[in-house]
Amino acid sequence: MRSSEAGLARNVLRCRFVVVGSGIAGLWTARRLSEYGDVTIITKSQLCESNTEYAQGGIAVALLPADSPELHKQDTLAAGAGLCDVPAVEMLTREGPDAVLDLISIGARFDSRDGNLLAGREAAHQRSRVIHARGDATGAEVERAASEAVLNSPNVRVLENTFVTDLILIHGKCVGVEAIDFVSGESIRVLAGSTMMAAGGAGNLYRVTTNPPVTIGDAMTVAWRAGAALQDLEFVQFHPTALAAPGYPKFLISEAVRGEGAILRNTSGEAFMQRYSPAQLDLAPRDEVSRAVLSEMQSDNSDHVWLDLSPIGDASAVEARFPGIMAELRKRELWNDETFCIPVTPAAHYCMGGIRSDVNGQTSLPGFYACGEAASCGVHGANRLASNSLLDGLVFGGRSARGMIGAPDLTDAEVTSAATIAGRDLPAADPDLRDQLRDLMWDHVGILRDAEGLAAGAEELARMRAGFEHPSHAKPEEIQTAMMVQAAQLIATAAQLRCESRGGHFRTDYPEASDEWRKHIILHSTHDGEIAATYAPVLE
Ligand code: SIN
């Protein structure tokens, strides 16, 4: 207990900074903050359970001699399909190299030869610039190095198995969070001068996803309920190559595999990307490849297409470059030494949209910051360039920490009010609803969308929401289910509003991009808890 917690109730903690989420964005922010004050990290599961942990391909960064931040910027803007805020992209690509060198300086080890970093190629990159660790275990290495750095700081307290249900607001300013301890079911209040939301995306709102179970859209729901603005939620990235094998979530087959030469084939053996993207073939942007894969699966009435790894080399070459993937394939008895072909399917992978923030993490609410996948500072536009997400966490995590350090701590009067303010009864929904929700999102708010399907999805979501209960002591899982429904409703609303196709949002009834829609869609809550929309220009 810190001295300023004396006099507060047992379940009220006080700190200078609170960080929600423990992927790279949260850990990197916390690491910086801990040099300036005490930090509480709140995470839904264990410290290392995050999307970061499972990232395979690597970190896109202009560190190699033939590359430059300018080329990286060009590729990021092209992938973002006209919706990237250019200043954010310039910061990402220009500040990325130093951020990665900083990560290396604290002990992250990337693959190298003769002292030179090795870099792979991924879709829509003009250069080989994706650095990696232990072949395909980049995220695990990044998470290890960052969590060790954070845990070594005496200024950091970690609350695992704890999930945030609400922001605490005093006169419109965020002064901390309400949370629930998953194990004891008890509520906790963490008061802080600045609050960072870095709790990741929403892959688990979909029937098929590459994300671990912790990505349930809670960051957007918590922010929305507090009145924060959300941006570009309609843009959901579907990764074209998740392993098509039973189980939830799906194991990712990194895009780096296609970067090394692997080719997609339909069930007749045809290398079909030639028909969809003759110039970029299997390394076309993810949204194009996912739609092509889906179309082949539909016309072949199959639940997968094949990914042919034979162009990479013999089995030992594949094993050397992708040891984690090969181990998983062998474990599942899905590796065939004759064909080198594995079954793959598209899967929900990443949310480009999130809590609207500036490049220093500041959201529309004073005292409340966001970064990483939970945030939308405009850097990814309508479609994130492959392997830009870990870099996003590093660059904007560092920038957000600087913003939070400069913000004032709570006054004694704010602490007293925040400790005694009444909490709300939270909406709760039956956990059994989750499968229905995931089917609905996959079928109606998925890779291909249209007005009719979106309307049917929205109607069903409204019906689910109307069934919410407000018991005084709901179970944590029931609260989370209600949060998932709310997040799904926000994504579906944004998808209904955007009457065009761009990046990760494809409307079969509006198959082209339109200049009129070259703008951000911003959602916020009305006084009676409904969803209202405004628009903001793309920053040049
Ligand atoms: C992958 O390795 O294909 C995923 C990397 C990313 O999501 O950028």
Side-chain angles (χ1 to χ4, degrees):
M1 184 173 75
R2 83 179 218 177
S3 57
S4 55
E5 282 173 359
L8 296 177
R10 193 180 53 82
N11 65 340
V12 180
L13 308 177
R14 159 107 202 258
C15 52
R16 175 81 174 82
F17 308 108
V18 61
V19 173
V20 185
S22 59
I24 187 58
L27 293 179
W28 206 244
T29 308
R31 169 183 169 249
R32 280 260 173 268
L33 293 174
S34 67
E35 293 162 15
Y36 293 85
D38 59 333
V39 185
T40 302
I41 299 176
I42 302 181
T43 186
K44 284 193 282 296
S45 177
Q46 266 130 36
L47 190 69
C48 286
E49 186 66 355
S50 65
N51 254 348
T52 297
E53 176 73 14
Y54 299 92
Q56 295 178 357
I59 306 183
V61 61
L63 266 177
L64 271 67
D67 201 3
S68 69
E70 176 56 31
L71 289 175
H72 190 187
K73 171 183 148 186
Q74 287 171 13
D75 294 345
T76 303
L77 291 175
L83 219 73
C84 292
D85 286 334
V86 179
V89 176
E90 284 171 346
M91 281 166 198
L92 179 83
T93 52
R94 210 176 44 225
E95 297 174 17
D98 279 348
V100 170
L101 293 176
D102 195 10
L103 180 65
I104 293 173
S105 79
I106 64 157
R109 292 184 289 269
F110 292 94
D111 298 332
S112 61
R113 189 175 300 132
D114 304 329
N116 298 317
L117 285 170
L118 295 174
R121 185 87 177 262
E122 290 186 15
H125 286 274
Q126 299 178 63
R127 292 285 186 275
S128 294
R129 64 164 72 94
V130 180
I131 63 168
H132 43 83
R134 300 196 300 279
D136 52 10
T138 314
E141 175 61 9
V142 168
E143 188 77 14
R144 180 200 64 75
S147 57
E148 276 179 23
V150 159
L151 291 174
N152 280 337
S153 166
N155 266 349
V156 173
R157 160 167 57 191
V158 180
L159 302 180
E160 292 185 318
N161 299 307
T162 302
F163 95 97
V164 167
T165 54
D166 257 327
L167 301 185
I168 305 170
L169 300 178
I170 298 181
H171 304 308
K173 176 184 167 191
C174 178
V175 294
V177 297
E178 297 268 7
I180 297 184
D181 178 326
F182 236 112
V183 181
S184 67
E186 279 187 27
S187 49
I188 305 167
R189 193 166 278 198
V190 183
L191 313 183
S194 304
T195 298
M196 159 60 68
M197 177 57 81
N204 279 273
L205 302 184
Y206 286 90
R207 182 166 73 221
V208 188
T209 180
T210 60
N211 290 188
V214 287
T215 61
I216 56 170
D218 49 336
M220 52 182 95
T221 302
V222 166
W224 183 75
R225 258 207 316 248
L230 306 176
Q231 174 170 281
D232 295 341
L233 297 187
E234 64 277 27
F235 296 108
V236 177
Q237 183 174 79
F238 293 85
H239 197 292
T241 60
L243 190 64
Y248 186 92
K250 298 287 182 217
F251 182 75
L252 177 69
I253 304 297
S254 175
E255 189 158 296
V257 173
R258 275 173 289 130
E260 295 289 339
I263 293 171
L264 287 159
R265 298 186 183 279
N266 59 21
T267 49
S268 316
E270 183 204 0
F272 57 84
M273 281 311 297
Q274 178 69 46
R275 275 190 276 118
Y276 294 89
S277 180
Q280 294 172 293
L281 298 170
D282 297 80
L283 290 181
R286 276 184 193 168
D287 60 302
E288 287 180 39
V289 183
S290 287
R291 285 195 298 277
V293 169
L294 184 69
S295 162
E296 293 298 307
M297 282 165 53
Q298 283 171 345
S299 56
D300 289 357
N301 197 19
S302 169
D303 65 357
H304 66 273
V305 296
W306 296 108
L307 186 62
D308 174 3
L309 276 62
S310 62
I312 299 176
D314 61 15
S316 60
V318 179
E319 190 120 44
R321 178 66 181 85
F322 300 109
I325 291 175
M326 276 298 264
E328 189 70 25
L329 292 172
R330 289 199 199 280
K331 188 176 90 189
R332 294 172 184 241
E333 299 183 350
L334 283 171
W335 177 251
N336 183 328
D337 263 324
E338 305 280 298
T339 66
F340 279 52
C341 282
I342 58 174
V344 293
T345 176
H349 183 63
Y350 188 88
C351 295
M352 271 68 74
I355 304 164
R356 179 167 159 87
S357 69
D358 69 12
V359 288
N360 300 314
Q362 179 66 63
T363 70
S364 60
L365 295 180
F368 183 50
Y369 297 77
C371 80
E373 191 176 349
S376 174
C377 71
V379 71
H380 302 305
N383 195 16
R384 175 176 62 81
L385 183 67
S387 287
N388 263 356
S389 57
L390 296 177
L391 193 69
D392 167 352
L394 291 170
V395 169
F396 295 109
R399 294 187 73 92
S400 301
R402 289 200 286 279
M404 293 169 77
I405 289 159
D409 198 0
L410 298 181
T411 62
D412 288 345
E414 283 171 330
V415 172
T416 307
S417 313
T420 50
I421 203 170
R424 291 191 277 190
D425 285 343
L426 294 162
D430 188 342
D432 288 348
L433 216 57
R434 291 187 188 193
D435 283 346
Q436 214 180 313
L437 175 72
R438 289 172 172 143
D439 284 346
L440 177 161
M441 289 297 282
W442 184 258
D443 293 340
H444 297 309
V445 198
I447 299 173
L448 303 178
R449 305 160 175 185
D450 63 25
E452 201 184 329
L454 287 168
E459 199 177 309
E460 187 58 17
L461 288 166
R463 197 190 55 73
M464 287 180 181
R465 194 172 157 203
F468 283 179
E469 293 182 356
H470 291 76
S472 50
H473 287 293
K475 293 202 184 91
E477 296 84 354
E478 293 170 339
I479 296 169
Q480 286 194 332
T481 305
M483 291 168 104
M484 290 168 76
V485 172
Q486 183 62 76
Q489 207 176 26
L490 289 160
I491 295 172
T493 301
Q496 278 185 296
L497 286 170
R498 186 171 288 279
C499 294
E500 65 156 359
S501 290
R502 187 187 291 276
H505 171 71
F506 194 89
R507 295 273 305 247
T508 53
D509 47 352
Y510 296 97
E512 304 296 332
S514 130
D515 282 348
E516 187 199 337
W517 277 102
R518 199 171 159 256
K519 56 191 175 191
H520 300 294
I521 297 181
I522 296 166
L523 299 185
H524 49 90
S525 58
T526 62
H527 287 303
D528 51 2
E530 294 309 316
I531 302 171
T534 54
Y535 300 89
V538 171
L539 301 180
E540 302 293 350

